[in-house]
């Protein structure tokens, strides 16, 4: 269920067609994510670059009431929010100022959008900066999160 909620939220960030799709979602373990080809657009302005939301894994725990009925589901997950970079960027400060800082702003907006549905609650949201990952040299954030959803 968290997978679908994150995909819906990512899709909602894209402008209506015929505008190009700039926000992309993928679900799968780290080694599968490395196989994806990403458009090399590091020479574009940040606003015109593709952003990648990669949900690496989700563990779900069913919380039961005294009658053994599921009351809510708690999800622990790891999400990457990334943009292309260049391995030869002059410094980490450059990477931070040109896109990591902006991805942190995007992550904060994304956090709020996930909660648009009143049935969701985020109880942990840890942001870790990452750089030059995968074959395409992507920079961005690793989000370790815990959230819950009322069982219907």
């Amino acid at each position: 269920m968290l997978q679908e909620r994150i995909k819906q939220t990512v899709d909602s960030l894209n402008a209506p067609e015929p505008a190009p799709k700039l926000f992309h979602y993928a679900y799968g373990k780290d080694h599968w994510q490395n196989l994806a080809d990403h458009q090399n657009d590091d020479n574009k302005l940040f606003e015109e670059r593709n952003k990648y939301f990669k949900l690496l894994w989700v563990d779900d725990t069913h919380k039961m009431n005294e009658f053994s009925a599921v009351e809510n589901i708690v999800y622990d997950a790891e999400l990457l929010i990334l943009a292309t970079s260049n391995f030869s960027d002059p410094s980490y400060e450059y990477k931070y100022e040109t896109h990591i800082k902006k991805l942190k702003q995007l992550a904060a907006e994304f956090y709020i959008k996930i909660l648009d549905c009143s049935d969701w609650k985020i109880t942990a949201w840890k942001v870790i900066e990452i750089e030059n990952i995968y074959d395409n040299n992507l920079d961005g954030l690793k989000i370790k999160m815990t959230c819950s959803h009322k069982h219907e």
Side-chain angles (χ1 to χ4, degrees), residues 10-71:
V10 171
D11 289 344
S12 75
L13 297 172
N14 283 304
E17 289 187 12
K21 185 176 176 181
L22 294 178
F23 299 92
H24 308 275
Y25 169 81
Y27 176 59
K29 301 287 184 188
D30 206 36
H31 60 277
W32 289 108
Q33 301 295 352
N34 194 38
L35 297 174
D37 288 326
H38 303 92
Q39 185 177 2
N40 187 1
D41 57 2
D42 61 303
N43 59 341
K44 293 183 178 180
L45 294 173
F46 178 81
E47 294 73 23
E48 298 170 352
R49 286 161 60 199
N50 288 282
K51 283 54 159 212
Y52 302 97
F53 290 74
K54 296 177 172 288
L55 184 59
L56 299 182
W57 56 266
V58 175
D59 293 336
D60 47 302
T61 304
H62 294 75
K63 300 290 184 172
M64 313 294 193
N65 64 19
E66 65 271 11
F67 305 108
S68 298
V70 177
E71 285 191 335

Side-chain angles (χ1 to χ4, degrees), residues 94-124:
Y94 174 83
K95 289 177 176 294
Y96 182 81
E97 288 299 323
T98 58
H99 47 283
I100 292 174
K101 182 172 151 181
K102 294 173 183 176
L103 288 170
K104 283 187 172 191
Q105 294 168 341
L106 176 60
E109 295 168 16
F110 188 75
Y111 174 97
I112 292 167
K113 279 189 157 290
I114 288 175
L115 297 175
D116 279 350
C117 178
S118 62
D119 290 343
W120 287 91
K121 180 179 177 183
I122 297 175
T123 57

